[in-house]
Every structure is written in C-alpha cells, then in structure tokens.
Amino acid sequence: MEFLEKRFKLKEHNTNVKTEILAGITTFMTMAYILVVNANILGDTGMDKGAVFAATAIAAFIGTILMGLLANYPIALAPGMGLNAFFAYSVVISMGHSWQFALCAVFIEGIIFILLTVTNIREEIINCIPPLLKHAVTAGIGLFIAFIGLVNTGIVTSGGAILTLGSMKAPLVLLSVFGLIIAAVLMCKNVKGAFLLSMIITAAVGMVCGLVELPKAVVSSIPSLEPVFLKAFSVETSQIFSFDMVVVVFTFLFVDLFDTVGCLVGVASKGNLLNEDGTLPRAKQALLADSIGTTVGALLGTSTVTSYVESSAGIAEGGRTGLTAVTTGFLFLISLFFAPIFTAIPPQATGPVLILVGVLMASSVLEINFKDPTDAIPAFLTFTMMPLAYSIADGIIFGIISYTILKLICGQREKINLSLIILSILFVLKFVFL
C-alpha cells in the first residue's frame, strides 16, 4: 500500500486504494462493450473477429496502463468508436481499400502523433483552448455520453422526425428504467460504489427475469492474434505513398486529435485535475500514452486507440489517479480469459450509469457567462453540437471557430491567440476540402 501511495500520490489527490480500484472496475464495466463491438465492426471488413477481440483487449491494456503510469490520470484508453466505423465502412468498404491498408494508415497516424507529442504541438493545442470552451467541452461530453446511454438502453430511439421516445412497455426498456432508478437512488444516498453496484443489480435482475442471457461459460480460450498481427506492414510501397493514404491518415489524425483533446480536457476538468490557469498538467505524458497506444494497437491489429469518455464513470466514483487506470487496464487483460462474463453485462445495466455521469458533467455550464453573447454562443455551439453531430471533435471545431470570429469582430482581440486563429483556419479548410 505504501508503494501505491508513493507511486500515485493518493493522499495528495484525496483518495485511497479501495476507491481507486472501485473506480477502475466501474470504468471498465461501462466500456467493456468495446471488446465485442470493435470485433464486430472490424469483422465486417473481413478481419478475423477473434483476433480483433484479442487485439482490442491488449491494446486497451497497454494504452490504459501507460496513461496510469506515465500521466497518473484515471483515464482509460481503447479503440475508439467512430474511428473504428471510419476504418471499416469508409476506408475499407466505401473506398475499397484492404483492411491491411487501413491498419497501415493507423500505424502512420500513431507515429505522427508521437512526433507531434514529443515536439509539444499537441500539448499546445490543448492549452490554447480558452477556459470558457473547456467548461463547454465538459458539459458537451456529458450530454454526449448521456445521449449514448439513452440510445443504448432503448429509452430514446430513431423515429418521428429524427428521434423519438422508445416503447415504455418494452421489457428491456423497463429494465433500463429500473437500472436508472437504482443508480440514481444509490447516487443520491452517496453509496460508495453506487454505479458499479447498480450495474451488477440491473444485470442480475435482467438475467433472473430472462431478459438478459446468462454467460455461456466462465472461462474461454484466448483467440490467436496471428490473422491480424503486424499485417500493417503487408501493404505495398505504392499504396503507402498514395494520395488516398494521405487523405485517410489526415482524417484519422484530425478526428483522433480533437476527440482526445476533448476527452482529456472534459474528464480532467470534472475530476478537478486541471491547473488553476485551466491548463492540463502532464499533458505530454497523457498524449504520449495515447500515441503509443494507437501505434501498438495498429501493430496488434486494431483501429485507433483513444481516450474514453466513459472514464467519467470512474471519476464520478471517486477515481482521481493513475491507479484507477491501472485497475481498468488489468481488467482488459483479464477479459481475455473471462470474456463470457465481462461481455454478459448488457447495455441496460451500463446505459443508466452513462446517463447519470452526463448529469454530473453537465453542471459545468454553471461556469459559463451566458450574459456575454461572445461567450454564450461559442459555448452553446460546443456543447450542443457534440451530441447532435455525434462527435466530440465537431463540437470543439464549432466552438473554436465561432469563439475566434466573435471575439475578433466584437473588439475582444486580446482574448484570441495565434494558435486559435491557426486552428480556426485549419478547421474551415477541413470543411471545404474533406
């Protein structure tokens, strides 16, 4: 215990080993779905699903452990949703490239990110974002993950003009509502481990009622990595230096950069981990963990590894240090052996937790000055575009562009730095050419 105290500075962060471990378990359970979902999505490209499952678990383990040890942040990493869809359905299925080509693009992206991190460019991008927009990003991520929770549970579904309320008579929706009530009551009563406990109770009730399948086994064999391992290097040189590769790599870079920036800033802000001036301490170490995770993940055979907003669930449980991340990382490794158990937790159990984490993060809007339109408009665009465009990156883009334009035109140029102007120009060019 003394070693853990010295390594992760638990007392300094007002936490303890028990709290950190519970937080790590909670984070894992809210994002364990990626193990199966990522395998299914990349499997649509012809990749071996078992091999992708193993690559996903190992990449998440490596990236998350590095985040915990290098940056001492309670943030977990895994192959990112959205980025895996772009990998499978845009690069491979729509553009007609091989999945090996896509893996090569991810590998190149990872190498570029390592270089950008070492040269402090990524850190500068994080620190140039005004505190106002960081609060908006936190609130936006809250709305974003609450929306994910509502959709995953079936409480909100497609229909009507765009979305509609799900059937309140459907058994699985009722199970989700039950889970939401349990989680909310436990949270209001300040029960330690409230989110983790609510997920276990909801899953158990679902299994007893026959709504959720019981695990078919306890232990399973580890799938072989061989079908996808190091296949990024099987791409011909002519393809590596093609224009299509440049476009694909740039898109991966762009989306991953601002998804990661948004997640780090939003989650760190909610955990009170930012410096007094609003900058992110140990940003380089955090970004390096992300970069290495992506590079190693491509070698293992999976899509871009990035920071996960579900880490907010662990932070809401009190996780404040890298020990939370280390716990989550080892659970990803263990999942290789106990996949049937970990993947048996249904979205009806994890969705309510995401909804309530959204509630906690949305409180950041209280820090925004809505009396000044040049603050209110960029902030509003930031936190509404995230769930509506289903993209953290797009929310940040709209926020930064509108903030820069309004401050420049409305006589508040002292609040704009060169980095914001450069970013705004790049964002506009992105919309024009991509």
Side-chain angles (χ1 to χ4, degrees):
M1 294 295 181
E2 186 177 343
F3 168 75
L4 295 177
E5 165 60 39
K6 290 182 178 179
R7 183 66 184 79
F8 298 105
K9 301 178 181 178
L10 302 178
K11 290 182 180 179
E12 181 180 320
H13 290 87
N14 195 30
T15 184
N16 55 58
V17 173
K18 180 181 178 182
T19 298
E20 294 292 300
I21 291 176
L22 280 175
I25 296 172
T26 300
T27 295
F28 173 78
M29 291 186 70
T30 60
M31 59 186 287
Y33 69 86
I34 192 61
L35 293 167
V36 176
V37 173
N38 198 51
N40 288 338
I41 290 176
L42 298 193
D44 289 343
T45 69
M47 298 177 73
D48 183 273
K49 290 185 179 181
V52 173
F53 176 92
T56 301
I58 297 172
F61 163 72
I62 293 172
T64 305
I65 289 292
L66 286 174
M67 179 66 78
L69 296 179
L70 293 180
N72 197 25
Y73 281 137
I75 297 174
L77 291 83
M81 289 295 294
L83 288 160
N84 54 7
F86 175 73
F87 180 109
Y89 305 121
S90 294
V91 180
V92 178
I93 295 175
S94 295
M95 297 176 69
H97 294 295
S98 66
W99 56 263
Q100 292 90 339
F101 176 95
L103 280 179
C104 183
V106 174
F107 176 75
I108 294 172
E109 174 209 354
I111 295 298
I112 293 174
F113 265 162
I114 289 175
L115 295 175
L116 291 177
T117 302
V118 171
T119 55
N120 297 325
I121 294 177
R122 291 181 79 190
E123 185 175 0
E124 175 60 29
I125 291 173
I126 289 181
N127 291 334
C128 81
I129 298 176
L132 158 77
L133 292 184
K134 288 178 179 175
H135 293 308
V137 166
T138 302
I141 290 176
L143 294 175
F144 182 72
I145 62 177
F147 180 59
I148 292 173
L150 289 167
V151 172
N152 287 351
T153 56
I155 295 175
V156 170
T157 185
S158 58
I162 300 175
L163 297 171
T164 189
L165 185 68
S167 172
M168 290 294 104
K169 297 179 181 179
L172 286 176
V173 174
L174 289 174
L175 178 63
S176 302
V177 173
F178 168 78
L180 182 58
I181 293 172
I182 291 294
V185 170
L186 292 175
M187 184 180 80
C188 292
K189 288 184 173 292
N190 295 315
V191 175
K192 202 68 175 177
F195 290 160
L196 176 59
L197 187 58
S198 72
M199 285 188 282
I200 294 173
I201 292 173
T202 305
V205 169
M207 291 174 186
V208 170
C209 295
L211 300 175
V212 177
E213 287 189 15
L214 289 167
K216 295 179 180 179
V218 175
V219 180
S220 61
S221 58
I222 301 177
S224 171
L225 276 174
E226 196 278 329
V228 297
F229 185 63
L230 297 182
K231 299 303 180 182
F233 295 147
S234 64
V235 179
E236 295 181 1
T237 304
S238 59
Q239 290 183 302
I240 294 175
F241 293 99
S242 65
F243 178 74
D244 276 0
M245 180 64 80
V246 173
V247 173
V248 171
V249 169
F250 181 81
T251 304
F252 273 132
L253 276 168
F254 191 87
V255 176
D256 186 24
L257 172 61
F258 290 98
D259 270 356
T260 301
V261 168
C263 179
L264 287 176
V265 169
V267 174
S269 175
K270 196 58 195 176
N272 296 318
L273 301 174
L274 296 178
N275 290 324
E276 291 183 2
D277 60 357
T279 59
L280 184 70
R282 305 181 303 282
K284 177 182 286 189
Q285 293 90 324
L287 294 169
L288 191 60
D290 171 271
S291 305
I292 295 173
T294 291
T295 307
V296 173
L299 297 179
L300 292 169
T302 187
S303 51
T304 303
V305 172
T306 189
S307 302
Y308 258 64
V309 294
E310 283 84 351
S311 303
S312 304
I315 287 179
E317 285 286 19
R320 291 294 181 271
T321 75
L323 182 55
T324 292
V326 169
T327 301
T328 303
F330 274 107
L331 287 174
F332 270 113
L333 189 64
I334 293 171
S335 69
L336 288 169
F337 301 92
F338 299 97
I341 293 178
F342 289 123
T343 56
I345 304 297
Q348 288 73 28
T350 59
V353 171
L354 297 182
I355 294 168
L356 293 182
V357 169
V359 173
L360 296 174
M361 298 190 73
S363 63
S364 292
V365 297
L366 298 174
E367 304 295 329
I368 298 170
N369 178 21
F370 282 96
K371 294 180 179 180
D372 182 351
T374 64
D375 283 352
I377 294 171
F380 181 80
L381 289 174
T382 300
F383 64 69
T384 55
M385 287 301 296
M386 286 186 185
L388 295 179
Y390 209 73
S391 169
I392 294 173
D394 285 340
I396 295 174
I397 290 170
F398 272 81
I400 288 179
I401 291 177
S402 59
Y403 181 88
T404 303
I405 291 174
L406 290 174
K407 293 297 182 182
L408 284 175
I409 294 177
C410 297
Q412 299 184 39
R413 297 184 181 183
E414 70 280 358
K415 294 185 178 181
I416 299 297
N417 54 51
L418 180 61
S419 297
L420 281 176
I421 295 174
I422 293 173
L423 283 176
S424 297
I425 293 172
L426 290 176
F427 292 156
V428 172
L429 292 175
K430 181 258 184 186
F431 284 131
V432 172
F433 294 107
L434 290 181

